[in-house]
Amino acid sequence: QDSKRQVLLLLGSENLYEVSDEENIEELYELPTPLSYLHIDCAEEDPKNLTHLSINLANKPAIRILGEELDVAEAVVVLNALIKDTWQRACETSIIEGREIYQFHAVVRKINRRHKIQGRVIVVSNQWVYNLDPIDRDEIEDFKWSLPIGSLLRVAAGPDDEKTESYPATIHFDLNVARDIMKQSAFRDRKTGTKGSSVNDKHQFLFSSAAARDRCTMALLALYHTQMHKKLMFDRSTATGGRRRSDPGVVRKEGILQKYTRGILGKGKHPRFVQIHSTGMIGWGKDKEKRDQLETIVGVSDGGAALDAFKLTAEENKRFFCVLTSGKSLYFLCESENEKADWVSCIKNVISKE
């Protein structure tokens, strides 16, 4: 890791070659094993030292290069352009269909709802967001899930942790809007994902750098605005301890609701004491004295990612609603439709005032 050596980076149209100064290359067949641009995340300059270049593989710097400032800047531009061209060709001949146009991709680590970290690739076209497994071949075969750009609900960035090189972003979708879009004739036959893959309304990703994360979030904001002609909700957190507040404000509504859960032990429902606060926070617990959970409310809807899994009756469905928070999706069942309307109205009011 601490050694240095002279190398020549040879940038072909499809592959990168790292040639040592000790190698005497006279014929093309003598070149070292190529590295496909499909397996390279990106190239980045060190913002603190513009003579340093890192080539990222598997969501972390794998090759660090020192050079003249102008050479490094040129290498970053050319290498990223070649990576983008390769990914565009691969995506538009596999997962991206019809008149869709590839926009960008990002190699990330995904945090699932059990807090397990998995390698993933986000691919974004002008119409859809795709989630892929890491590429282990020289072609793209399939995707785990895809959701329309128009179903984006909120994008949040941070808080960053430079010690562990974790730069998070959370992307929220409105699955009801996604279903409505996919009912359109142009998308009726479209596959949403591979068998066994769950489509959730909240996805947490870790990027290799703040710059990579910001490129992704800003591009999503721009694409949403172009397609929907309105601003996408965006939040940037600089706090190190999450989004929770010690003073959640005045209680606007409280009461007992049936809270649905899904996890390793299966699905179920339990009575929980729930409070809606004037600051746009929701708190819940086993009772009023044990209300130990507190989250920032992002949105509220009739459905949610787990709606189908709960197998509600048609009558229960009318009393069911989902609260989307900065940390998770909360699923509640009310005693009546009127009670549901009161809760939903209160939540929308505190969100709009925030």
Side-chain angles (χ1 to χ4, degrees), residues 42-44 80 104 209-220:
C42 63
E44 290 186 330
N80 283 331
F104 72 93
S209 68
R213 188 266 318 283
D214 292 344
R215 284 196 298 269
C216 177
T217 55
M218 293 302 104
L220 287 174

Side-chain angles (χ1 to χ4, degrees), residues 55-318:
I55 298 176
N56 297 347
L57 308 175
N59 201 234
K60 58 184 178 182
I63 303 172
R64 299 182 187 273
I65 297 173
L66 307 179
E68 296 293 331
E69 188 172 319
L70 289 178
D71 291 339
V72 166
E74 184 179 7
V76 169
V77 171
V78 174
L79 186 51
N80 283 331
L82 289 167
I83 293 170
K84 183 175 180 179
D85 287 346
T86 302
W87 271 87
Q88 182 166 1
R89 288 196 302 272
C91 290
E92 292 183 354
T93 55
S94 56
I95 60 173
I96 292 181
E97 304 174 353
R99 297 182 179 181
E100 279 183 79
I101 302 173
Y102 164 94
Q103 300 295 308
F104 72 93
H105 77 281
V107 180
V108 297
R109 290 169 290 158
K110 183 181 184 297
I111 305 175
N112 67 15
R113 57 191 176 87
R114 297 188 181 96
H115 301 288
K116 181 180 178 181
I117 296 179
Q118 306 161 317
R120 290 288 185 269
V121 181
I122 303 171
V123 173
V124 179
S125 75
N126 60 325
Q127 297 179 9
W128 295 81
V129 179
Y130 297 85
N131 178 23
L132 285 67
D133 278 323
I135 306 302
D136 56 2
R137 301 182 181 180
D138 289 337
E139 60 182 359
I140 298 173
E141 295 182 342
D142 214 335
F143 57 89
K144 297 186 73 66
W145 55 258
S146 65
L147 287 168
I149 292 287
S151 67
L152 284 167
L153 180 63
R154 172 180 179 263
V155 174
D160 300 345
D161 188 342
E162 294 186 359
K163 290 183 179 179
T164 60
E165 296 185 337
S166 296
Y167 303 92
T170 305
I171 303 174
H172 298 266
F173 293 90
D174 187 326
L175 295 188
N176 290 323
V177 173
R179 290 189 183 101
D180 290 341
I181 293 174
M182 296 177 74
K183 288 177 182 177
Q184 299 174 16
S185 58
F187 305 122
R188 233 168 245 168
D189 298 329
R190 183 183 176 87
K191 182 177 69 172
T192 57
T194 54
K195 187 176 181 181
S197 298
S198 58
V199 181
N200 297 314
D201 48 18
K202 181 180 73 70
H203 301 274
Q204 292 180 289
F205 300 105
L206 297 176
F207 291 75
S208 59
S209 68
R213 188 266 318 283
D214 292 344
R215 284 196 298 269
C216 177
T217 55
M218 293 302 104
L220 287 174
L221 294 177
L223 285 168
Y224 181 86
H225 187 271
T226 299
Q227 189 172 119
M228 306 303 293
H229 307 292
K230 59 182 180 179
K231 290 184 179 180
L232 179 64
M233 190 185 306
F234 177 72
D235 178 51
R236 183 183 294 276
S237 174
T238 57
T240 56
R243 300 282 300 168
R244 300 187 178 185
R245 303 178 191 172
S246 57
D247 181 15
V250 178
V251 175
R252 295 300 186 194
K253 187 172 180 59
E254 63 182 19
I256 302 293
L257 294 173
Q258 293 292 326
K259 181 178 180 293
Y260 278 72
T261 58
R262 57 176 186 147
I264 298 174
L265 300 179
K267 298 177 286 291
K269 62 178 179 178
H270 310 277
R272 290 292 182 264
F273 185 83
V274 182
Q275 288 181 330
I276 305 298
H277 298 270
S278 58
T279 54
M281 306 287 283
I282 182 171
W284 71 97
K286 291 185 177 180
D287 53 49
K288 192 169 184 177
E289 285 68 38
K290 295 182 179 179
R291 184 192 50 76
D292 54 357
Q293 302 288 332
L294 195 64
E295 294 280 354
T296 301
I297 300 173
V298 174
V300 60
S301 68
D302 289 332
L307 180 59
D308 297 335
F310 294 141
K311 295 181 170 53
L312 302 174
T313 65
E315 190 275 331
E316 287 175 328
N317 210 5
K318 296 177 181 179

Side-chain angles (χ1 to χ4, degrees), residues 37-62:
Y37 295 128
L38 275 179
H39 302 294
I40 302 176
D41 304 354
C42 63
E44 290 186 330
E45 291 175 283
D46 184 343
K48 298 178 181 178
N49 191 336
L50 298 182
T51 63
H52 288 61
L53 158 69
S54 65
I55 298 176
N56 297 347
L57 308 175
N59 201 234
K60 58 184 178 182

Side-chain angles (χ1 to χ4, degrees), residues 25-40:
I25 305 297
E26 295 183 355
E27 302 290 342
L28 288 177
Y29 68 84
E30 296 177 332
L31 286 170
T33 303
L35 179 60
S36 169
Y37 295 128
L38 275 179
H39 302 294
I40 302 176

Side-chain angles (χ1 to χ4, degrees), residues 11-28:
L11 307 182
S13 59
E14 298 180 357
N15 299 297
L16 167 72
Y17 299 87
E18 183 184 339
V19 182
S20 170
D21 63 339
E22 298 176 356
E23 298 178 88
N24 184 18
I25 305 297
E26 295 183 355
E27 302 290 342
L28 288 177

